[in-house]
Amino acid sequence: MREQEEGGLQAAGRRGGVVRALLGLGAIAEGAAAAEGGVPRKAGAGDGGGEERKAVVRVVAADMPPALQRRAFRCARDELAGMPRSPRRLEPKRLALALKKEFDTAYGPAWHCIVGTSFGSYVTHARGGFLYFSVDKVYILLFRTAVEPQPHCEDQTVSS
């Protein structure tokens, strides 16, 4: 039983290391946020001073290359940092639009993004185009669908 618990802790440590590696953080200061893939982020005026706080990034599920994951984390982190802090207000549409535009521009069309603190989903995605992660308490689902052009049928006529 004890061996299973130690094995589970080692696996959790490896997963945390993978997230830190994806974020390009390497060695991070000790602490709960650092152990879970914390990302330094400057605190805003409404956060109680100029101290630096860590944004906790957690990957829930992924079928996406690490480079694309890092880009999604960076885009989400930058957009969240630009949102008003006082009063603290999440703008999910703004974040979703920023991620969608970033990925549509960089990797082609048909990217979709869902952002919120509570939502359910069931989606079909293109291979290598799915990422479900959280930054602090905001959950982000980013996925790509396959775009297939519709065949254009000219022999269909409208009759009255």
Side-chain angles (χ1 to χ4, degrees):
M1 177 91 166
R2 183 95 167 140
E3 293 171 358
Q4 289 177 343
E5 289 176 8
E6 289 174 3
L9 290 174
Q10 288 174 350
R14 284 194 302 270
R15 283 192 301 272
V18 169
V19 171
R20 285 191 297 277
L22 287 172
L23 293 170
L25 296 175
I28 302 175
E30 292 181 15
E36 296 177 329
V39 180
R41 183 168 70 186
K42 298 248 183 210
D47 285 347
E51 63 191 48
E52 198 166 292
R53 156 180 111 68
K54 295 189 184 281
V56 179
V57 176
R58 290 189 186 102
V59 175
V60 179
D63 174 19
M64 183 180 283
L68 274 72
Q69 290 184 33
R70 284 191 297 272
R71 189 168 192 154
F73 299 152
R74 187 173 37 251
C75 182
R77 195 172 52 241
D78 293 348
E79 197 63 33
L80 284 168
M83 288 185 188
R85 299 270 181 217
S86 180
R88 182 138 174 101
R89 182 177 167 96
L90 171 67
E91 297 176 35
K93 285 184 182 180
R94 177 177 159 185
L95 178 55
L97 179 63
L99 277 161
K100 178 184 173 31
K101 278 187 173 182
E102 176 82 13
F103 274 70
D104 277 347
T105 303
Y107 306 110
W111 286 92
H112 309 277
C113 187
I114 301 169
V115 176
T117 55
S118 177
F119 61 86
S121 67
Y122 193 87
V123 300
T124 301
H125 64 89
R127 181 170 294 156
F130 178 86
L131 180 61
Y132 182 36
F133 67 106
S134 67
V135 178
D136 292 333
K137 295 180 181 179
V138 179
Y139 285 84
I140 301 163
L141 175 61
L142 179 66
F143 64 99
R144 184 178 194 178
T145 56
V147 177
E148 297 179 15
Q150 293 291 331
H152 185 52
C153 298
E154 292 185 23
D155 58 337
Q156 292 180 352
T157 58
V158 177
S159 58
S160 2

